[in-house]
Amino acid sequence: MEYRVLARKYRPQTFADLVGQDVLVRTLTNAFANNRIAHAFLLTGIRGIGKTTTARIIAKGMNCIGADGQGGPTVAPCGVCTHCIMVSESRHMDVLEMDAASHTGVDDIRDLIGTVQYLPSSARMKVYIIDEVHMLSNNAFNALLKTLEEPPPHVKFIFATTEIRKIPVTILSRCQRFDLRRLETPLMAQHLKNITLKESVSADDEALTLIADAAEGSVRDGLSLLDQAIAMGADETGTIHAPAIREMLGMNDKSQLFGLLEKLLAGAVGEAMAEFGKLYAAGADSAMLLQDLLALVHFITRIRISADAADDIAFSEKERTFAMELAGKLTIPTLTKLWQMLLKGLQEVRIAPEPAASAEMVLVRIAHSADLPSPSDLIRSVRKEAANAPVGGGNAAPSRPAAASLITTQQVVSQSVAQPTVVHAPLPQSFESAVQMFTAQREPLLYNHLVRNVRLVQFEKGRIELNVAAEVPQDFAGRVGARLTEWTGQRWVIILSHETGAEPLQKQRDAAEAAKREAVKSYPLVATVLEQFPGAVVTKVTEQP
Ligand SMILES: Nc1ncnc2c1ncn2[C@@H]1O[C@H](COP(=O)(O)OP(=O)(O)OP(=O)(O)O)[C@@H](O)[C@H]1O
Ligand SMILES: [Mg+2]
Ligand SMILES: [Zn+2]
């Protein structure tokens, strides 16, 4: 006997067999019972969920004459009368199935409309099933409209589409619409189980749940995956087991990854490297590996927040137990730190010329930081130290970090790093404030020269002696003098000198900045951070508001 794929073999022939579409079935049942059958239906929903199937059941129901040849329209077609059989086999003269995907033109629709006026040849109703109706051209839709408005009494239209948004409202408003639902995983798994029973195949529940989940609500997808699983074969015990399915679905076994993660967290660099080597030798892709680790950390974090998250069927029983164990041990800050390091590592690995080497470096870095406290732990411990400090020992001097309270420290930091304030005094009291006027008054070019290319030899009110570099323009001294005179209302002269003078202002500022960075290193909080994170550097000192 030829093998028929499960999806075709098990196409529901009646609504009783249609799974998960209760609302649709109930509404149609009422309509048939009250003899209020719409003349146009629109069935919508994702792929492989029963649209074509439903269209055929409706067509059969409209034309079924029952086993005795006496029956009327019904939602439960008998399946044995000639009409039922011919519709099921897609060869009924009066039930026309058209695939709009391949007949999108206005001419196809005109041909179809041309046949509408003729009475059915043998059935009660002429039924037009137009699948993938969203594929029709605009003209084709327009040609349909008039017929759809007032079809002859013996004509019914059934449209099916996966893309309801592409259907013009003019069409929508002339149809009774049914939304077919995605199947939830448990319902799909149950359906798959019923089919394995009929096929005398044994599969464990976890395997079926995995397939059901991967099908994402589409029954046809679920059945195709089951086909594949059956073809792949059962194990020695004659059963299809979850691990095989996981492999088939490309969800590889994560227990090795758990091993790797454990070694990393324990800071066991050598063992972690060995684990990585094993995975790599087995063909794991470096970036994929980090991605899997990320997924794992995410999973553990979710469990940490809510234990319910552990019922994720993408992970095996063993993996779930393991993740729960880790979730019990790790804190959220540790998990987020791990996540960030992995994420940053992943970005590096993706652009690295040698991804495997880069991945190794990432893992080494993580293993090394395993015993590092998180920033919040650090702050907490510094606070605790401060609280334990002897009363009266609150000397905030940077040389006595342990005794300084955090608050005092902050004050010290903000005092010592306060930026020089801009002086808008009409008469500048220093060279620095005179120069500052050039930014305040928007003379960026002159300001730039004053800051970088000028050494101060002497400053007096009304008289500035400068040693200027070759970069400054010819009329520089004249312009600076003129500007200052203008702004202050007092005469200023700039005298050029050959004496060495002081360092340019910018150099002085850079040096001061560096000194500031150096100085904060001895504040308790900063010192602890630097000590706990080897290689950390102070890059910027900003003032706390
Ligand atoms: N609700 C359902 N209950 C049981 N089986 C279903 C259901 N939906 C789909 N199937 C199975 O999937 C197969 C395909 O269904 P059908 O052709 O009706 O899907 P469709 O919604 O028209 O999909 P498409 O959008 O791809 O045309 C059927 O033969 C049947 O085996
Ligand atoms: Mg279809
Ligand atoms: Zn029948």
Side-chain angles (χ1 to χ4, degrees):
M1 213 179 87
E2 85 173 304
Y3 179 74
R4 271 199 299 162
V5 296
L6 295 175
R8 285 189 56 202
K9 186 167 171 188
Y10 293 98
R11 185 188 286 283
Q13 298 301 326
T14 64
F15 284 128
D17 297 336
L18 192 72
V19 182
Q21 309 300 345
D22 301 345
V23 179
L24 173 144
V25 174
R26 209 174 319 125
T27 315
L28 277 175
T29 307
N30 286 338
F32 271 81
N34 302 323
N35 204 15
R36 299 175 66 90
I37 307 169
H39 57 248
F41 297 96
L42 178 64
L43 306 172
T44 171
I46 61 159
R47 76 216 124 83
I49 208 175
K51 300 181 294 295
T52 304
T53 305
T54 301
R56 290 196 189 151
I57 299 175
I58 296 175
K60 278 192 281 189
M62 285 168 176
N63 287 320
C64 178
I65 50 173
D68 58 0
Q70 307 298 312
T74 171
V75 268
C78 71
V80 294
C81 70
T82 52
H83 298 294
C84 283
I85 290 172
M86 287 195 293
V87 174
S88 286
E89 295 174 358
S90 294
R91 55 183 181 85
H92 198 300
M93 290 280 288
D94 299 316
V95 176
L96 294 111
E97 278 190 45
M98 188 183 115
D99 182 8
S102 45
H103 300 86
T104 51
V106 64
D107 291 340
D108 295 306
I109 292 298
R110 289 225 179 90
D111 286 350
L112 183 148
I113 292 166
T115 67
V116 162
Q117 69 209 68
Y118 303 111
L119 288 175
S121 59
S122 66
R124 213 177 283 133
M125 294 282 173
K126 237 178 163 152
V127 184
Y128 293 88
I129 299 176
I130 306 185
D131 227 333
E132 309 296 348
V133 67
H134 63 271
M135 298 292 281
L136 289 182
S137 66
N138 265 341
N139 286 341
F141 272 127
N142 286 334
L144 248 185
L145 271 181
K146 209 169 162 321
T147 314
L148 206 52
E149 189 106 57
E150 264 181 285
H154 60 265
V155 168
K156 302 282 181 195
F157 285 97
I158 306 175
F159 303 123
T161 181
T162 45
E163 300 190 47
I164 190 79
R165 272 164 301 152
K166 290 191 184 159
I167 311 292
V169 275
T170 44
I171 300 281
L172 283 179
S173 64
R174 287 168 174 78
C175 299
Q176 182 171 15
R177 172 177 161 179
F178 291 100
D179 291 48
L180 280 80
R181 308 266 168 87
R182 245 175 226 279
L183 257 68
E184 299 285 335
T185 301
L187 191 57
M188 177 87 75
Q190 185 54 51
H191 182 57
L192 296 178
K193 187 169 182 103
N194 294 341
I195 288 183
T196 54
L197 294 177
K198 285 183 194 149
E199 291 284 309
S200 313
V201 169
S202 90
D204 63 30
D205 286 351
E206 194 177 346
L208 294 176
T209 304
L210 282 171
I211 294 179
D213 207 50
E216 295 179 331
S218 162
V219 184
R220 192 199 294 108
D221 286 4
L223 291 178
S224 309
L225 288 170
L226 186 58
D227 259 323
Q228 208 179 319
I230 295 172
M232 217 171 58
D235 65 0
E236 318 78 51
T237 65
T239 308
I240 295 172
H241 283 303
I245 300 300
R246 214 172 264 121
E247 193 173 323
M248 177 183 103
L249 296 173
M251 311 173 176
N252 39 29
D253 185 22
K254 292 178 193 81
S255 54
Q256 267 179 300
L257 272 183
F258 272 99
L260 175 58
L261 187 62
E262 219 183 12
K263 304 281 156 40
L264 286 178
L265 288 167
V269 186
E271 288 171 54
M273 285 301 97
E275 288 283 336
F276 173 72
K278 259 191 275 170
L279 284 163
Y280 187 71
D285 173 78
S286 306
M288 276 300 263
L289 210 127
L290 291 192
Q291 237 163 1
D292 284 350
L293 280 174
L294 272 166
L296 213 58
V297 172
H298 180 227
F299 182 45
I300 298 170
T301 309
R302 273 168 48 217
I303 299 180
R304 170 81 218 196
I305 291 166
S306 156
D308 296 345
D311 324 316
D312 188 332
I313 51 152
F315 296 86
S316 73
E317 193 59 51
K318 205 166 76 184
E319 290 158 6
R320 277 178 261 168
T321 319
F322 203 104
M324 291 218 278
E325 220 173 90
L326 279 185
K329 286 190 219 157
L330 301 174
T331 63
I332 295 282
T334 309
L335 286 163
T336 37
K337 192 178 78 178
L338 198 57
W339 170 269
Q340 280 163 355
M341 294 187 84
L342 282 167
L343 196 62
K344 185 150 180 299
L346 180 61
Q347 287 159 0
E348 288 170 17
V349 168
R350 283 201 177 126
I351 55 165
E354 282 196 65
S358 170
E360 263 190 9
M361 293 309 290
V362 171
L363 297 179
V364 169
R365 196 158 72 211
I366 294 175
H368 263 287
S369 75
D371 44 346
L372 294 186
S374 70
S376 63
D377 286 347
L378 262 183
I379 291 182
R380 224 174 292 129
S381 75
V382 171
R383 283 216 175 109
K384 223 161 95 201
E385 264 179 46
N388 294 339
V391 185
N395 181 352
S399 51
R400 295 190 52 193
S405 82
L406 190 66
I407 291 148
T408 323
T409 310
Q410 275 175 350
Q411 285 164 348
V412 171
V413 172
S414 48
Q415 277 162 18
S416 65
V417 300
Q419 297 290 332
T421 41
V422 178
V423 180
H424 289 293
L427 267 195
Q429 302 299 311
S430 66
F431 178 56
E432 174 102 37
S433 30
V435 170
Q436 216 50 50
M437 294 185 83
F438 285 79
T439 28
Q441 302 285 350
R442 299 188 201 296
E443 283 284 357
L445 273 173
L446 290 178
Y447 175 77
N448 201 39
H449 284 300
L450 283 167
V451 166
R452 289 169 206 283
N453 302 325
V454 160
R455 292 165 162 273
L456 177 68
V457 177
Q458 209 194 348
F459 177 87
E460 269 169 44
K461 246 175 260 170
R463 184 180 183 282
I464 306 174
E465 212 172 305
L466 297 174
N467 177 345
V468 302
E471 288 88 345
V472 306
Q474 281 288 316
D475 56 350
F476 177 73
R479 276 160 67 193
V480 170
R483 290 283 100 77
L484 283 174
T485 307
E486 184 186 318
W487 296 329
T488 59
Q490 188 189 313
R491 212 176 103 76
W492 285 82
V493 285
I494 310 298
I495 308 213
L496 299 183
S497 155
H498 287 294
E499 272 176 61
T500 321
E503 287 286 299
L505 285 179
Q506 189 59 46
K507 271 215 170 132
Q508 294 180 29
R509 289 178 190 171
D510 290 347
E513 185 63 34
K516 228 184 289 173
R517 282 201 299 267
E518 207 45 47
V520 294
K521 282 188 191 169
S522 53
Y523 296 136
L525 182 61
V526 181
T528 319
V529 171
L530 289 178
E531 188 185 304
Q532 300 284 344
F533 293 94
V537 283
V538 177
T539 55
K540 195 163 186 239
V541 179
T542 46
E543 196 182 344
Q544 288 251 322

